């Protein structure tokens, strides 16, 4: 590895690979370093890969809408066909239940309207065509599984829902990451696997490269932290962790795979169900399964993890709680005795909104704190990071005069300062995976 690089990217998850692709297109010589053996083996592999538009802030909705087009255009965007196959977007639509917590989707609807995204408003009595087995009782506020009132309806009905036809999921998140790696290599990017970064080199007050576990040093004037749930460790190595207003921290998350109720072809007819009333989201999964994840209601314990390389990978009561909650809404959903699904880590920021930013160490950048909700935005985040790095290395003082990122599909600009490490905690956030 004696070659010269302009940029070292720590991490080869979906965001690290998309950042490499975008920087390579701009002419930068990039090297991605990952401690695992292949691209996308970190938290990206555990992703539910849901592509949806309902975020709590207008900027969140806008970024997701722009990102949606990258997935629609995937092979054209990457300019290559991966011999291993191409991941693809499957459109299913998303049914989003109105709750007090999401303010009856008032702001989401405003953002969708502003972007010209079509949606339907549905009353509780209009949900049957969408979910034949639906129970429209409200269970809000949610309760933890051990609460004596768990599973008891409140006596009210859910206030209704918004149906967003343009939503779905990506067939295979790990394959999509390999697709992005191959596309980046096609533009000259290099990748180094099975190699752990243990330090960030500094010279003359700026970033100078990285030190590897085997003692090797690789020089580059720019280093990007895209280390997912390990992001806080890399920021500590760079000496900038305590110079940021927003911090990141790994959190364990469980995803359940459960057979669909008898008679329901959910693999064919299913869609994304974001049900804040019970505190769960779900989508169809192969084998006619429901894939169920948590929307992190306040009553649930938060499974913070100190060491992302050493944590309990077993299912806990979170799994049981999620499946039982989903079964309140979807009548006939079986509750299996054996658990099947995914255990992985989110990289959670203080307000569950990502940090796409420079740092106080010149030449050191980060795309971190993705809080369980940035797989869908990886290609557009890669493009924004590449633009940000080019602008800052060209002299832009992004902290004072934030980089304005051009959203090519939406033909508008997004103030990248929204994702600043030094923002105040965004009180409009859901403080959950919804972002
Ligand atoms: C269970 C689960 C479900 C999710 N569902 C969705 C969803 O439906 N929709 C959505 O939009 N998002 C979802 N997400 C979030 C999404 O998957 C992440 O935001 C995204 O995959 C993050 O990509 P990344 O490239 O930043 O990180 P990662 O994929 O975690 O990649 C980071 C890489 O850095 C490497 N690394 C770390 N430390 C070092 C080091 N010291 N040296 C070398 N390499 C290092 C790791 O090995 C890893 O490969 C989900 C996440 C999880 C865990």
């Amino acid at each position: 590895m004696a070659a010269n690089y302009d940029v070292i990217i720590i991490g080869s998850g979906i965001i690290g690979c998309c950042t490499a692709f975008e920087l390579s297109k701009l002419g930068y010589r990039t090297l991605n370093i990952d401690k695992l053996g292949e691209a996308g083996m970190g938290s990206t592999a555990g992703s539910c890969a849901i592509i949806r538009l309902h975020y709590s802030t207008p900027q969140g909705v806008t970024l997701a809408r722009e990102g949606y087009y990258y997935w629609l255009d995937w092979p054209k965007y990457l300019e290559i066909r991966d011999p291993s196959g191409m991941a693809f977007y499957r459109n299913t639509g998303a049914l989003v239940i109105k709750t007090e917590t999401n303010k009856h989707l008032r702001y989401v609807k405003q953002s969708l309207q502003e972007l010209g995204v079509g949606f339907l408003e549905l009353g509780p009595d209009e949900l049957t065509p969408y979910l034949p087995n639906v129970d429209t009782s409200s269970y809000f506020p949610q309760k933890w599984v051990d609460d004596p009132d768990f599973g008891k309806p409140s006596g009210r009905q859910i206030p209704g829902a918004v149906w967003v036809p343009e939503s779905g999921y990506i067939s295979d998140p790990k394959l999509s990451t390999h697709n992005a790696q191959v596309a980046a290599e096609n533009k000259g990017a290099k990748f180094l696997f099975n190699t752990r970064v243990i330090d960030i080199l500094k010279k003359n007050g700026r970033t100078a490269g990285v030190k590897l576990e085997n003692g090797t040093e690789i020089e580059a004037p720019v280093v990007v932290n895209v280390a997912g749930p390990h992001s806080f460790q890399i920021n500590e190595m760079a000496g900038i962790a305590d110079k940021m207003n927003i911090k990141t921290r790994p959190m364990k998350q469980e995803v359940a795979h459960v057979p669909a109720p008898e008679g329901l072809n959910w693999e064919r007819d299913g869609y994304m169900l974001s049900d804040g009333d019970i505190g769960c989201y779900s989508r169809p999964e192969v084998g006619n399964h429901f894939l169920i994840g948590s929307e992190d209601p306040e009553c649930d314990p938060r499974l913070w993890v100190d060491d992302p390389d050493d944590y309990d990978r077993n299912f806990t009561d979170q799994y049981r709680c999620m499946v039982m909650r989903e079964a309140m809404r979807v009548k006939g959903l079986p509750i299996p005795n054996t658990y099947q699904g995914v255990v992985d880590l989110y990289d959670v920021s203080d307000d569950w909104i990502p940090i796409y930013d420079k740092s106080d160490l010149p030449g050191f950048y980060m795309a971190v704190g993705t809080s369980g909700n940035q797989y869908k935005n990886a290609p557009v985040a890669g493009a924004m990071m590449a633009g940000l790095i080019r602008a800052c290395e060209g002299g832009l003082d992004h902290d004072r005069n934030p980089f304005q990122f051009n959203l090519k599909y939406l033909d508008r600009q997004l103030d990248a300062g929204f994702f600043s490490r030094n923002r105040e905690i965004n009180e409009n956030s859901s403080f959950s995976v919804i972002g």
Side-chain angles (χ1 to χ4, degrees):
M1 277 292 162
N4 291 319
Y5 298 101
D6 301 316
V7 183
I8 291 172
I9 299 164
I10 305 173
S12 295
I14 187 67
I15 301 179
C17 288
C18 288
T19 303
F21 176 54
E22 289 290 342
L23 282 167
S24 299
K25 285 195 290 183
L26 295 180
Y28 289 90
R29 295 163 302 166
T30 65
L31 172 69
N32 287 63
I33 304 176
D34 203 296
K35 65 185 175 59
L36 298 174
E38 289 170 43
M41 280 179 78
S43 69
T44 298
S47 183
C48 303
I50 290 170
I51 309 294
R52 46 99 189 165
L53 303 174
H54 58 284
Y55 279 77
S56 310
T57 61
Q59 292 86 347
V61 175
T62 303
L63 197 66
R65 181 60 170 173
E66 175 77 1
Y68 163 78
Y69 291 108
Y70 282 74
W71 292 112
L72 288 189
D73 263 357
W74 193 233
K76 290 190 191 63
Y77 163 63
L78 294 181
E79 299 176 39
I80 196 165
R81 291 261 166 191
D82 182 347
S84 310
M86 296 300 284
F88 59 90
Y89 169 70
R90 178 164 183 252
N91 196 79
T92 62
L95 189 71
V96 191
I97 306 293
K98 294 180 181 176
T99 66
E100 280 169 36
T101 317
N102 64 27
K103 302 181 180 70
H104 291 200
L105 298 170
R106 196 163 54 247
Y107 299 108
V108 170
K109 286 189 296 175
Q110 273 175 13
S111 299
L112 294 176
Q113 269 162 344
E114 220 261 303
L115 293 168
V117 179
F119 61 87
L120 294 177
E121 285 222 59
L122 302 170
D125 49 344
E126 293 173 294
L127 294 178
T128 321
Y130 293 87
L131 197 54
N133 296 35
V134 74
D135 172 357
T136 56
S137 307
S138 173
Y139 295 88
F140 193 86
Q142 311 88 354
K143 286 157 201 81
W144 179 240
V145 66
D146 290 342
D147 190 304
D149 289 332
F150 182 84
K152 289 190 190 152
S154 68
R156 297 183 300 270
Q157 272 208 318
I158 50 170
V162 166
W163 171 252
V164 187
E166 288 172 292
S167 297
Y169 61 92
I170 300 298
S171 58
D172 182 338
K174 184 168 174 298
L175 178 62
S176 71
T177 312
H178 191 265
N179 296 163
Q181 177 198 340
V182 169
E185 285 171 332
N186 186 45
K187 298 290 175 190
K190 303 287 181 215
F191 286 79
L192 185 58
F193 291 107
N194 295 310
T195 308
R196 182 186 280 266
V197 171
I198 59 158
D199 206 1
I200 306 297
L201 307 178
K202 292 149 210 141
K203 203 154 64 185
N204 302 328
R206 66 168 288 137
T207 315
V210 298
K211 184 175 180 182
L212 308 180
E213 202 166 28
N214 64 11
T216 311
E217 295 187 347
I218 307 182
E219 292 183 4
V222 172
V223 172
V224 194
N225 176 3
V226 201
H230 294 75
S231 69
F232 73 104
Q233 293 177 340
I234 307 293
N235 282 344
E236 278 166 13
M237 291 174 201
I240 50 113
D242 56 358
K243 299 193 180 97
M244 299 161 49
N245 206 33
I246 304 286
K247 306 275 191 292
T248 61
R249 206 174 159 190
M251 178 192 273
K252 176 176 162 175
Q253 282 288 336
E254 298 163 36
V255 173
H257 294 182
V258 178
E262 189 115 11
L264 201 61
N265 191 337
W266 196 244
E267 191 171 351
R268 185 192 64 198
D269 302 332
Y271 51 83
M272 198 239 163
L273 174 61
S274 174
D275 193 339
D277 185 83
I278 53 169
C280 282
Y281 68 84
S282 62
R283 71 156 171 84
E285 175 61 3
V286 287
N288 199 24
H289 278 164
F290 270 69
L291 173 159
I292 306 165
S294 173
E295 289 197 356
D296 316 297
E298 263 178 40
C299 58
D300 289 12
R302 305 242 149 161
L303 307 177
W304 297 111
V305 162
D306 291 329
D307 183 352
D309 291 311
D310 181 18
Y311 68 97
D312 175 11
R313 287 162 200 262
N314 292 305
F315 292 112
T316 66
D317 277 349
Q318 189 182 75
Y319 188 105
R320 186 164 66 96
C321 186
M322 286 188 312
V323 177
M324 290 175 75
R325 280 178 177 151
E326 191 79 2
M328 296 175 201
R329 185 71 68 221
V330 183
K331 291 298 160 206
L333 189 78
I335 303 181
N337 289 328
T338 46
Y339 291 177
Q340 192 185 331
V342 170
V343 176
D344 217 313
L345 297 175
Y346 290 168
D347 179 33
V348 176
S349 78
D350 291 339
D351 57 8
W352 295 71
I353 291 171
I355 304 172
Y356 296 128
D357 203 0
K358 68 193 273 280
S359 74
D360 282 16
L361 177 66
F364 185 82
Y365 296 81
M366 66 189 95
V368 303
T370 60
S371 307
N373 60 52
Q374 292 294 305
Y375 171 83
K376 65 183 73 54
N377 292 335
V380 61
M384 185 161 65
M385 286 305 296
L388 176 75
I389 290 167
R390 181 170 62 174
C392 291
E393 293 303 306
L396 177 74
D397 184 350
H398 173 61
D399 285 340
R400 281 171 186 270
N401 177 22
F403 173 61
Q404 302 299 306
F405 174 55
N406 185 38
L407 302 167
K408 63 181 181 179
Y409 291 102
L410 299 181
D411 193 22
R412 59 173 68 198
Q413 291 202 319
L414 183 65
D415 182 346
F418 177 79
F419 303 101
S420 166
R421 71 202 180 286
N422 287 332
R423 64 180 179 252
E424 293 303 320
I425 286 183
N426 191 325
E427 297 298 343
N428 294 324
S429 169
S430 66
F431 294 90
S432 78
V433 72
I434 296 300

